[in-house]
Short mmCIF file of all heavy atoms in Angstrom, two decimals:
data_model
loop_
_atom_site.label_atom_id
_atom_site.label_comp_id
_atom_site.label_asym_id
_atom_site.label_seq_id
_atom_site.Cartn_x
_atom_site.Cartn_y
_atom_site.Cartn_z
N MET I 781 0.85 -1.16 0.00
CA MET I 781 0.00 0.00 0.00
C MET I 781 0.90 1.24 0.00
O MET I 781 1.92 1.29 0.66
CB MET I 781 -0.90 0.01 1.24
CG MET I 781 -1.65 1.30 1.37
SD MET I 781 -2.84 1.48 2.73
CE MET I 781 -2.26 0.48 4.02
N VAL I 782 0.48 2.25 -0.76
CA VAL I 782 1.16 3.54 -0.79
C VAL I 782 0.15 4.59 -0.35
O VAL I 782 -0.97 4.62 -0.85
CB VAL I 782 1.67 3.88 -2.21
CG1 VAL I 782 2.22 5.29 -2.27
CG2 VAL I 782 2.71 2.88 -2.67
N VAL I 783 0.55 5.42 0.61
CA VAL I 783 -0.28 6.54 1.04
C VAL I 783 0.46 7.81 0.66
O VAL I 783 1.57 8.05 1.13
CB VAL I 783 -0.57 6.51 2.55
CG1 VAL I 783 -1.41 7.72 2.95
CG2 VAL I 783 -1.27 5.22 2.94
N VAL I 784 -0.15 8.61 -0.21
CA VAL I 784 0.42 9.89 -0.62
C VAL I 784 -0.20 10.94 0.28
O VAL I 784 -1.41 11.13 0.27
CB VAL I 784 0.12 10.17 -2.11
CG1 VAL I 784 0.74 11.48 -2.54
CG2 VAL I 784 0.63 9.02 -2.98
N LYS I 785 0.64 11.59 1.09
CA LYS I 785 0.11 12.51 2.10
C LYS I 785 1.04 13.70 2.31
O LYS I 785 1.56 13.91 3.39
CB LYS I 785 -0.11 11.77 3.42
CG LYS I 785 1.15 11.04 3.90
CD LYS I 785 0.87 10.30 5.19
CE LYS I 785 2.10 9.62 5.70
NZ LYS I 785 3.15 10.50 6.15
N PRO I 786 1.23 14.50 1.28
CA PRO I 786 2.16 15.62 1.44
C PRO I 786 1.66 16.65 2.45
O PRO I 786 0.49 17.01 2.45
CB PRO I 786 2.25 16.22 0.03
CG PRO I 786 1.04 15.76 -0.67
CD PRO I 786 0.64 14.46 -0.04
N CYS I 787 2.55 17.10 3.28
CA CYS I 787 2.22 18.11 4.27
C CYS I 787 1.94 19.44 3.57
O CYS I 787 2.69 19.85 2.69
CB CYS I 787 3.38 18.26 5.25
SG CYS I 787 3.01 19.36 6.62
N GLY I 788 0.86 20.06 3.94
CA GLY I 788 0.51 21.36 3.38
C GLY I 788 -0.38 21.30 2.16
O GLY I 788 -0.81 22.33 1.66
N TYR I 789 -0.65 20.10 1.65
CA TYR I 789 -1.51 19.95 0.47
C TYR I 789 -2.84 19.35 0.88
O TYR I 789 -2.87 18.29 1.51
CB TYR I 789 -0.88 19.00 -0.54
CG TYR I 789 0.19 19.56 -1.42
CD1 TYR I 789 1.05 20.55 -0.98
CD2 TYR I 789 0.37 19.08 -2.70
CE1 TYR I 789 2.05 21.05 -1.80
CE2 TYR I 789 1.37 19.57 -3.52
CZ TYR I 789 2.20 20.55 -3.07
OH TYR I 789 3.19 21.04 -3.88
N PRO I 790 -3.95 19.97 0.49
CA PRO I 790 -5.24 19.32 0.70
C PRO I 790 -5.38 18.18 -0.31
O PRO I 790 -4.63 18.09 -1.28
CB PRO I 790 -6.26 20.43 0.42
CG PRO I 790 -5.55 21.37 -0.48
CD PRO I 790 -4.09 21.29 -0.11
N VAL I 791 -6.31 17.30 -0.07
CA VAL I 791 -6.52 16.13 -0.93
C VAL I 791 -6.70 16.55 -2.39
O VAL I 791 -6.14 15.93 -3.29
CB VAL I 791 -7.72 15.29 -0.43
CG1 VAL I 791 -8.12 14.24 -1.45
CG2 VAL I 791 -7.37 14.63 0.90
N GLU I 792 -7.47 17.59 -2.63
CA GLU I 792 -7.74 18.02 -4.00
C GLU I 792 -6.46 18.38 -4.76
O GLU I 792 -6.31 18.00 -5.93
CB GLU I 792 -8.70 19.22 -4.00
CG GLU I 792 -10.07 18.92 -3.45
CD GLU I 792 -10.12 18.88 -1.91
OE1 GLU I 792 -9.21 19.41 -1.25
OE2 GLU I 792 -11.09 18.30 -1.39
N ARG I 793 -5.54 19.06 -4.11
CA ARG I 793 -4.30 19.44 -4.80
C ARG I 793 -3.42 18.21 -5.01
O ARG I 793 -2.79 18.06 -6.05
CB ARG I 793 -3.54 20.50 -4.01
CG ARG I 793 -2.24 20.86 -4.73
CD ARG I 793 -1.62 22.11 -4.26
NE ARG I 793 -0.36 22.34 -4.98
CZ ARG I 793 0.54 23.19 -4.59
NH1 ARG I 793 0.34 23.94 -3.52
NH2 ARG I 793 1.66 23.34 -5.27
N THR I 794 -3.38 17.33 -4.03
CA THR I 794 -2.60 16.10 -4.18
C THR I 794 -3.13 15.30 -5.36
O THR I 794 -2.34 14.82 -6.19
CB THR I 794 -2.65 15.27 -2.90
OG1 THR I 794 -2.14 16.07 -1.82
CG2 THR I 794 -1.83 14.00 -3.02
N LEU I 795 -4.44 15.14 -5.47
CA LEU I 795 -5.02 14.40 -6.60
C LEU I 795 -4.67 15.07 -7.92
O LEU I 795 -4.36 14.39 -8.91
CB LEU I 795 -6.53 14.30 -6.44
CG LEU I 795 -7.02 13.36 -5.34
CD1 LEU I 795 -8.53 13.52 -5.14
CD2 LEU I 795 -6.67 11.92 -5.67
N ALA I 796 -4.69 16.40 -7.95
CA ALA I 796 -4.39 17.13 -9.18
C ALA I 796 -2.93 16.94 -9.61
O ALA I 796 -2.62 17.02 -10.81
CB ALA I 796 -4.69 18.61 -8.99
N GLU I 797 -2.05 16.67 -8.65
CA GLU I 797 -0.63 16.57 -8.97
C GLU I 797 -0.10 15.13 -9.00
O GLU I 797 1.09 14.92 -9.21
CB GLU I 797 0.18 17.42 -7.99
CG GLU I 797 -0.18 18.89 -8.14
CD GLU I 797 0.82 19.83 -7.52
OE1 GLU I 797 1.98 19.43 -7.31
OE2 GLU I 797 0.44 20.98 -7.26
N LEU I 798 -0.97 14.16 -8.82
CA LEU I 798 -0.52 12.76 -8.82
C LEU I 798 0.15 12.36 -10.13
O LEU I 798 1.02 11.50 -10.14
CB LEU I 798 -1.70 11.81 -8.56
CG LEU I 798 -2.04 11.56 -7.11
CD1 LEU I 798 -3.26 10.65 -7.02
CD2 LEU I 798 -0.89 10.98 -6.34
N GLU I 799 -0.23 12.98 -11.22
CA GLU I 799 0.35 12.62 -12.52
C GLU I 799 1.85 12.91 -12.56
O GLU I 799 2.56 12.38 -13.43
CB GLU I 799 -0.35 13.36 -13.64
CG GLU I 799 -0.18 14.87 -13.58
CD GLU I 799 -1.06 15.61 -14.57
OE1 GLU I 799 -2.21 15.22 -14.73
OE2 GLU I 799 -0.56 16.57 -15.16
N LEU I 800 2.35 13.72 -11.64
CA LEU I 800 3.78 14.03 -11.61
C LEU I 800 4.61 12.88 -11.03
O LEU I 800 5.80 12.76 -11.35
CB LEU I 800 4.03 15.30 -10.79
CG LEU I 800 3.38 16.57 -11.32
CD1 LEU I 800 3.60 17.72 -10.34
CD2 LEU I 800 3.90 16.91 -12.69
N LEU I 801 4.03 12.06 -10.18
CA LEU I 801 4.81 11.00 -9.52
C LEU I 801 5.46 10.03 -10.49
O LEU I 801 6.64 9.70 -10.31
CB LEU I 801 3.94 10.26 -8.50
CG LEU I 801 3.55 11.09 -7.28
CD1 LEU I 801 2.65 10.28 -6.35
CD2 LEU I 801 4.77 11.58 -6.53
N PRO I 802 4.78 9.56 -11.54
CA PRO I 802 5.46 8.65 -12.48
C PRO I 802 6.62 9.30 -13.24
O PRO I 802 7.46 8.60 -13.78
CB PRO I 802 4.34 8.25 -13.45
CG PRO I 802 3.08 8.50 -12.73
CD PRO I 802 3.36 9.66 -11.82
N GLN I 803 6.67 10.61 -13.24
CA GLN I 803 7.76 11.30 -13.92
C GLN I 803 9.04 11.32 -13.09
O GLN I 803 10.13 11.50 -13.64
CB GLN I 803 7.34 12.73 -14.26
CG GLN I 803 6.19 12.80 -15.24
CD GLN I 803 5.70 14.22 -15.46
OE1 GLN I 803 6.44 15.19 -15.26
NE2 GLN I 803 4.46 14.35 -15.86
N VAL I 804 8.91 11.16 -11.77
CA VAL I 804 10.09 11.25 -10.90
C VAL I 804 10.36 9.97 -10.10
O VAL I 804 11.37 9.89 -9.43
CB VAL I 804 9.97 12.45 -9.93
CG1 VAL I 804 9.95 13.77 -10.71
CG2 VAL I 804 8.75 12.34 -9.05
N LEU I 805 9.46 9.01 -10.19
CA LEU I 805 9.61 7.75 -9.45
C LEU I 805 9.36 6.57 -10.39
O LEU I 805 8.64 6.71 -11.37
CB LEU I 805 8.58 7.68 -8.31
CG LEU I 805 8.69 8.74 -7.22
CD1 LEU I 805 7.46 8.69 -6.32
CD2 LEU I 805 9.94 8.53 -6.40
N PRO I 806 9.89 5.40 -10.06
CA PRO I 806 9.58 4.20 -10.86
C PRO I 806 8.18 3.68 -10.52
O PRO I 806 7.96 2.53 -10.16
CB PRO I 806 10.69 3.23 -10.47
CG PRO I 806 11.03 3.62 -9.07
CD PRO I 806 10.85 5.13 -9.01
N TRP I 807 7.22 4.55 -10.57
CA TRP I 807 5.85 4.37 -10.10
C TRP I 807 5.20 3.09 -10.63
O TRP I 807 4.64 2.31 -9.87
CB TRP I 807 5.05 5.60 -10.52
CG TRP I 807 3.69 5.75 -9.95
CD1 TRP I 807 2.52 5.58 -10.62
CD2 TRP I 807 3.32 6.13 -8.63
NE1 TRP I 807 1.46 5.84 -9.81
CE2 TRP I 807 1.93 6.18 -8.57
CE3 TRP I 807 4.06 6.43 -7.48
CZ2 TRP I 807 1.23 6.51 -7.42
CZ3 TRP I 807 3.36 6.76 -6.33
CH2 TRP I 807 1.97 6.81 -6.31
N ALA I 808 5.22 2.89 -11.93
CA ALA I 808 4.51 1.76 -12.56
C ALA I 808 5.07 0.40 -12.12
O ALA I 808 4.36 -0.60 -12.19
CB ALA I 808 4.55 1.88 -14.07
N SER I 809 6.29 0.37 -11.65
CA SER I 809 6.88 -0.91 -11.24
C SER I 809 6.56 -1.30 -9.80
O SER I 809 6.86 -2.41 -9.38
CB SER I 809 8.41 -0.87 -11.43
OG SER I 809 9.00 0.03 -10.51
N TRP I 810 5.96 -0.38 -9.04
CA TRP I 810 5.66 -0.67 -7.63
C TRP I 810 4.46 -1.62 -7.54
O TRP I 810 3.40 -1.37 -8.12
CB TRP I 810 5.35 0.60 -6.87
CG TRP I 810 6.51 1.53 -6.71
CD1 TRP I 810 7.77 1.38 -7.17
CD2 TRP I 810 6.49 2.78 -6.04
NE1 TRP I 810 8.55 2.46 -6.81
CE2 TRP I 810 7.79 3.33 -6.12
CE3 TRP I 810 5.51 3.50 -5.36
CZ2 TRP I 810 8.13 4.55 -5.56
CZ3 TRP I 810 5.85 4.72 -4.81
CH2 TRP I 810 7.15 5.23 -4.90
N PRO I 811 4.59 -2.72 -6.79
CA PRO I 811 3.47 -3.65 -6.63
C PRO I 811 2.19 -3.00 -6.12
O PRO I 811 1.09 -3.35 -6.57
CB PRO I 811 4.01 -4.70 -5.64
CG PRO I 811 5.49 -4.66 -5.86
CD PRO I 811 5.81 -3.21 -6.15
N ALA I 812 2.30 -2.07 -5.20
CA ALA I 812 1.10 -1.41 -4.67
C ALA I 812 0.38 -0.62 -5.75
O ALA I 812 -0.86 -0.60 -5.80
CB ALA I 812 1.46 -0.49 -3.50
N VAL I 813 1.11 0.03 -6.62
CA VAL I 813 0.51 0.77 -7.72
C VAL I 813 -0.17 -0.19 -8.69
O VAL I 813 -1.31 0.02 -9.11
CB VAL I 813 1.56 1.65 -8.44
CG1 VAL I 813 0.99 2.29 -9.69
CG2 VAL I 813 2.10 2.70 -7.49
N GLN I 814 0.50 -1.28 -9.01
CA GLN I 814 -0.06 -2.28 -9.92
C GLN I 814 -1.33 -2.91 -9.36
O GLN I 814 -2.24 -3.26 -10.10
CB GLN I 814 0.98 -3.36 -10.21
CG GLN I 814 2.16 -2.85 -10.98
CD GLN I 814 3.30 -3.85 -11.06
OE1 GLN I 814 3.20 -4.99 -10.60
NE2 GLN I 814 4.40 -3.44 -11.66
N ALA I 815 -1.41 -3.02 -8.03
CA ALA I 815 -2.57 -3.63 -7.37
C ALA I 815 -3.67 -2.62 -7.06
O ALA I 815 -4.69 -2.98 -6.48
CB ALA I 815 -2.12 -4.32 -6.08
N GLY I 816 -3.47 -1.36 -7.41
CA GLY I 816 -4.48 -0.35 -7.12
C GLY I 816 -4.56 0.00 -5.64
O GLY I 816 -5.60 0.42 -5.15
N GLN I 817 -3.46 -0.15 -4.94
CA GLN I 817 -3.42 0.12 -3.50
C GLN I 817 -2.71 1.44 -3.21
O GLN I 817 -1.81 1.51 -2.39
CB GLN I 817 -2.74 -1.03 -2.77
CG GLN I 817 -3.52 -2.32 -2.83
CD GLN I 817 -4.81 -2.21 -2.06
OE1 GLN I 817 -4.84 -1.80 -0.92
NE2 GLN I 817 -5.90 -2.56 -2.71
N VAL I 818 -3.12 2.50 -3.91
CA VAL I 818 -2.57 3.83 -3.71
C VAL I 818 -3.69 4.70 -3.16
O VAL I 818 -4.78 4.75 -3.73
CB VAL I 818 -2.03 4.43 -5.02
CG1 VAL I 818 -1.52 5.84 -4.80
CG2 VAL I 818 -0.92 3.54 -5.58
N PHE I 819 -3.40 5.38 -2.07
CA PHE I 819 -4.41 6.19 -1.40
C PHE I 819 -3.87 7.59 -1.16
O PHE I 819 -2.67 7.80 -1.09
CB PHE I 819 -4.80 5.55 -0.06
CG PHE I 819 -5.29 4.13 -0.23
CD1 PHE I 819 -4.41 3.06 -0.13
CD2 PHE I 819 -6.61 3.88 -0.50
CE1 PHE I 819 -4.86 1.76 -0.30
CE2 PHE I 819 -7.07 2.60 -0.67
CZ PHE I 819 -6.20 1.53 -0.58
N VAL I 820 -4.76 8.54 -1.03
CA VAL I 820 -4.40 9.93 -0.78
C VAL I 820 -5.03 10.36 0.53
O VAL I 820 -6.17 10.01 0.82
CB VAL I 820 -4.89 10.82 -1.94
CG1 VAL I 820 -4.77 12.29 -1.59
CG2 VAL I 820 -4.12 10.50 -3.21
N ALA I 821 -4.27 11.11 1.32
CA ALA I 821 -4.79 11.64 2.58
C ALA I 821 -4.33 13.08 2.72
O ALA I 821 -3.34 13.50 2.11
CB ALA I 821 -4.29 10.82 3.76
N ASP I 822 -5.02 13.84 3.52
CA ASP I 822 -4.62 15.20 3.86
C ASP I 822 -3.51 15.09 4.90
O ASP I 822 -3.76 14.83 6.07
CB ASP I 822 -5.83 15.96 4.41
CG ASP I 822 -5.54 17.42 4.68
OD1 ASP I 822 -4.41 17.73 5.13
OD2 ASP I 822 -6.43 18.25 4.47
N GLY I 823 -2.29 15.27 4.46
CA GLY I 823 -1.14 15.09 5.35
C GLY I 823 -1.15 16.02 6.54
O GLY I 823 -0.80 15.62 7.66
N THR I 824 -1.56 17.24 6.33
CA THR I 824 -1.59 18.21 7.42
C THR I 824 -2.65 17.84 8.45
O THR I 824 -2.42 17.90 9.65
CB THR I 824 -1.84 19.62 6.88
OG1 THR I 824 -0.81 19.92 5.92
CG2 THR I 824 -1.80 20.65 7.99
N ALA I 825 -3.82 17.46 7.99
CA ALA I 825 -4.93 17.17 8.90
C ALA I 825 -4.75 15.87 9.68
O ALA I 825 -5.18 15.79 10.83
CB ALA I 825 -6.24 17.11 8.12
N TYR I 826 -4.11 14.87 9.07
CA TYR I 826 -4.07 13.55 9.70
C TYR I 826 -2.71 13.09 10.17
O TYR I 826 -2.61 12.14 10.92
CB TYR I 826 -4.65 12.51 8.75
CG TYR I 826 -6.12 12.71 8.51
CD1 TYR I 826 -6.58 13.24 7.31
CD2 TYR I 826 -7.04 12.41 9.49
CE1 TYR I 826 -7.93 13.44 7.09
CE2 TYR I 826 -8.40 12.60 9.29
CZ TYR I 826 -8.83 13.12 8.09
OH TYR I 826 -10.16 13.32 7.88
N PHE I 827 -1.62 13.72 9.73
CA PHE I 827 -0.31 13.16 10.04
C PHE I 827 0.69 14.13 10.64
O PHE I 827 1.80 13.76 10.95
CB PHE I 827 0.30 12.54 8.78
CG PHE I 827 -0.52 11.41 8.24
CD1 PHE I 827 -1.47 11.64 7.26
CD2 PHE I 827 -0.37 10.13 8.74
CE1 PHE I 827 -2.25 10.61 6.77
CE2 PHE I 827 -1.14 9.09 8.25
CZ PHE I 827 -2.08 9.34 7.27
N THR I 828 0.36 15.39 10.79
CA THR I 828 1.29 16.36 11.33
C THR I 828 1.37 16.22 12.85
O THR I 828 0.36 16.23 13.53
CB THR I 828 0.84 17.80 10.98
OG1 THR I 828 0.77 17.90 9.57
CG2 THR I 828 1.80 18.83 11.52
N ALA I 829 2.58 16.10 13.34
CA ALA I 829 2.78 15.98 14.79
C ALA I 829 2.69 17.37 15.42
O ALA I 829 3.29 18.32 14.93
CB ALA I 829 4.12 15.34 15.09
N LEU I 830 1.97 17.47 16.51
CA LEU I 830 1.85 18.73 17.22
C LEU I 830 3.09 19.02 18.06
O LEU I 830 3.50 20.14 18.21
CB LEU I 830 0.62 18.70 18.13
CG LEU I 830 -0.72 18.56 17.42
CD1 LEU I 830 -1.83 18.40 18.44
CD2 LEU I 830 -0.98 19.77 16.55
N ALA I 831 3.65 17.98 18.61
CA ALA I 831 4.82 18.10 19.46
C ALA I 831 5.50 16.74 19.50
O ALA I 831 4.89 15.74 19.12
CB ALA I 831 4.41 18.53 20.87
N PRO I 832 6.74 16.67 19.95
CA PRO I 832 7.39 15.37 20.03
C PRO I 832 6.54 14.37 20.81
O PRO I 832 6.07 14.66 21.90
CB PRO I 832 8.70 15.67 20.76
CG PRO I 832 8.97 17.11 20.46
CD PRO I 832 7.60 17.76 20.39
N GLY I 833 6.30 13.23 20.19
CA GLY I 833 5.54 12.17 20.84
C GLY I 833 4.04 12.28 20.69
O GLY I 833 3.31 11.40 21.12
N SER I 834 3.53 13.33 20.04
CA SER I 834 2.09 13.44 19.85
C SER I 834 1.77 13.44 18.37
O SER I 834 2.62 13.73 17.53
CB SER I 834 1.54 14.70 20.51
OG SER I 834 2.01 15.84 19.82
N SER I 835 0.53 13.12 18.04
CA SER I 835 0.13 13.07 16.64
C SER I 835 -1.34 13.41 16.53
O SER I 835 -2.12 13.23 17.45
CB SER I 835 0.38 11.67 16.08
OG SER I 835 -0.14 11.57 14.78
N THR I 836 -1.72 13.90 15.37
CA THR I 836 -3.13 14.19 15.12
C THR I 836 -3.83 13.02 14.45
O THR I 836 -4.95 13.14 14.02
CB THR I 836 -3.27 15.44 14.20
OG1 THR I 836 -2.61 15.17 12.97
CG2 THR I 836 -2.71 16.67 14.86
N LEU I 837 -3.16 11.89 14.32
CA LEU I 837 -3.73 10.73 13.65
C LEU I 837 -5.00 10.29 14.35
O LEU I 837 -4.99 9.89 15.50
CB LEU I 837 -2.71 9.58 13.65
CG LEU I 837 -3.08 8.32 12.89
CD1 LEU I 837 -3.21 8.64 11.41
CD2 LEU I 837 -2.05 7.25 13.12
N PRO I 838 -6.14 10.37 13.67
CA PRO I 838 -7.41 10.01 14.29
C PRO I 838 -7.64 8.51 14.30
O PRO I 838 -7.00 7.77 13.55
CB PRO I 838 -8.44 10.69 13.39
CG PRO I 838 -7.79 10.67 12.05
CD PRO I 838 -6.30 10.87 12.31
N SER I 839 -8.58 8.07 15.12
CA SER I 839 -8.89 6.64 15.16
C SER I 839 -9.54 6.19 13.86
O SER I 839 -9.57 5.01 13.55
CB SER I 839 -9.82 6.35 16.34
OG SER I 839 -11.02 7.08 16.20
N SER I 840 -10.06 7.12 13.07
CA SER I 840 -10.70 6.77 11.80
C SER I 840 -9.72 6.83 10.64
O SER I 840 -10.11 7.02 9.50
CB SER I 840 -11.86 7.74 11.54
OG SER I 840 -11.36 9.06 11.41
N TRP I 841 -8.44 6.60 10.87
CA TRP I 841 -7.42 6.75 9.85
C TRP I 841 -7.70 5.99 8.56
O TRP I 841 -7.69 6.60 7.50
CB TRP I 841 -6.06 6.36 10.42
CG TRP I 841 -4.97 6.43 9.41
CD1 TRP I 841 -4.41 7.56 8.89
CD2 TRP I 841 -4.32 5.35 8.76
NE1 TRP I 841 -3.45 7.24 7.98
CE2 TRP I 841 -3.37 5.90 7.88
CE3 TRP I 841 -4.45 3.98 8.83
CZ2 TRP I 841 -2.55 5.10 7.08
CZ3 TRP I 841 -3.63 3.19 8.05
CH2 TRP I 841 -2.70 3.76 7.19
N PRO I 842 -7.96 4.70 8.54
CA PRO I 842 -8.16 4.05 7.24
C PRO I 842 -9.29 4.65 6.40
O PRO I 842 -9.07 4.93 5.24
CB PRO I 842 -8.42 2.58 7.60
CG PRO I 842 -7.71 2.41 8.89
CD PRO I 842 -7.91 3.74 9.62
N PRO I 843 -10.49 4.92 6.93
CA PRO I 843 -11.50 5.54 6.08
C PRO I 843 -11.08 6.91 5.56
O PRO I 843 -11.41 7.28 4.44
CB PRO I 843 -12.72 5.66 6.99
CG PRO I 843 -12.52 4.59 8.00
CD PRO I 843 -11.03 4.53 8.22
N ALA I 844 -10.32 7.66 6.34
CA ALA I 844 -9.88 8.97 5.89
C ALA I 844 -8.95 8.84 4.69
O ALA I 844 -8.94 9.68 3.81
CB ALA I 844 -9.18 9.71 7.02
N CYS I 845 -8.19 7.78 4.64
CA CYS I 845 -7.22 7.60 3.56
C CYS I 845 -7.82 6.97 2.32
O CYS I 845 -7.31 7.15 1.24
CB CYS I 845 -6.07 6.72 4.02
SG CYS I 845 -4.94 7.59 5.10
N THR I 846 -8.86 6.22 2.48
CA THR I 846 -9.38 5.51 1.32
C THR I 846 -10.40 6.32 0.53
O THR I 846 -10.92 5.86 -0.46
CB THR I 846 -10.04 4.18 1.74
OG1 THR I 846 -11.10 4.44 2.63
CG2 THR I 846 -9.05 3.24 2.36
N LEU I 847 -10.67 7.54 0.94
CA LEU I 847 -11.59 8.41 0.23
C LEU I 847 -12.92 7.69 -0.02
O LEU I 847 -13.39 7.55 -1.13
CB LEU I 847 -10.98 8.87 -1.09
CG LEU I 847 -9.70 9.68 -0.99
CD1 LEU I 847 -9.16 10.00 -2.35
CD2 LEU I 847 -9.91 10.94 -0.18
N GLY I 848 -13.51 7.21 1.06
CA GLY I 848 -14.81 6.55 0.94
C GLY I 848 -14.72 5.08 0.61
O GLY I 848 -15.68 4.47 0.17
N GLY I 849 -13.57 4.48 0.80
CA GLY I 849 -13.42 3.05 0.57
C GLY I 849 -12.80 2.70 -0.78
O GLY I 849 -12.56 1.56 -1.07
N SER I 850 -12.53 3.69 -1.62
CA SER I 850 -11.94 3.43 -2.93
C SER I 850 -10.55 4.03 -3.01
O SER I 850 -10.32 5.13 -2.51
CB SER I 850 -12.80 4.07 -4.02
OG SER I 850 -14.08 3.54 -4.00
N PRO I 851 -9.62 3.31 -3.64
CA PRO I 851 -8.30 3.90 -3.81
C PRO I 851 -8.38 5.19 -4.62
O PRO I 851 -9.28 5.36 -5.44
CB PRO I 851 -7.55 2.82 -4.59
CG PRO I 851 -8.28 1.56 -4.31
CD PRO I 851 -9.72 1.97 -4.15
N ALA I 852 -7.44 6.07 -4.39
CA ALA I 852 -7.43 7.35 -5.10
C ALA I 852 -7.15 7.17 -6.58
O ALA I 852 -7.66 7.88 -7.42
CB ALA I 852 -6.40 8.28 -4.48
N ILE I 853 -6.28 6.20 -6.90
CA ILE I 853 -5.97 5.95 -8.31
C ILE I 853 -5.92 4.46 -8.55
O ILE I 853 -5.91 3.68 -7.66
CB ILE I 853 -4.65 6.61 -8.77
CG1 ILE I 853 -3.49 6.09 -7.93
CG2 ILE I 853 -4.74 8.09 -8.70
CD1 ILE I 853 -2.14 6.56 -8.39
#
């Protein structure tokens, strides 16, 4: 599984820029990409640490990443 979660980008911008990843990474060769296991999350909302040892990661993490249960791409 690959979770694309850039800090500072809302989900909409991340989705708009996903086409750039195959240009800079061996994207198509990754098993997770081939299996459709690529997900997008709001990195700032769900993964930014407030302080050392703390996190904003909610208990609903998997549904937040799957965008309603479907992979982003």
Side-chain angles (χ1 to χ4, degrees):
M781 172 177 30
V782 173
V783 179
V784 181
K785 54 181 182 67
C787 186
Y789 280 32
V791 169
E792 296 78 18
R793 180 164 178 195
T794 301
L795 288 171
E797 297 197 21
L798 275 178
E799 65 189 40
L800 299 175
L801 291 178
Q803 296 175 24
V804 296
L805 298 169
W807 191 252
S809 68
W810 293 0
V813 173
Q814 294 170 3
Q817 294 293 309
V818 178
F819 304 93
V820 169
D822 185 323
T824 303
Y826 294 105
F827 298 94
T828 301
L830 297 174
S834 68
S835 173
T836 60
L837 185 64
S839 60
S840 62
W841 177 73
C845 285
T846 60
L847 300 177
S850 300
I853 59 174

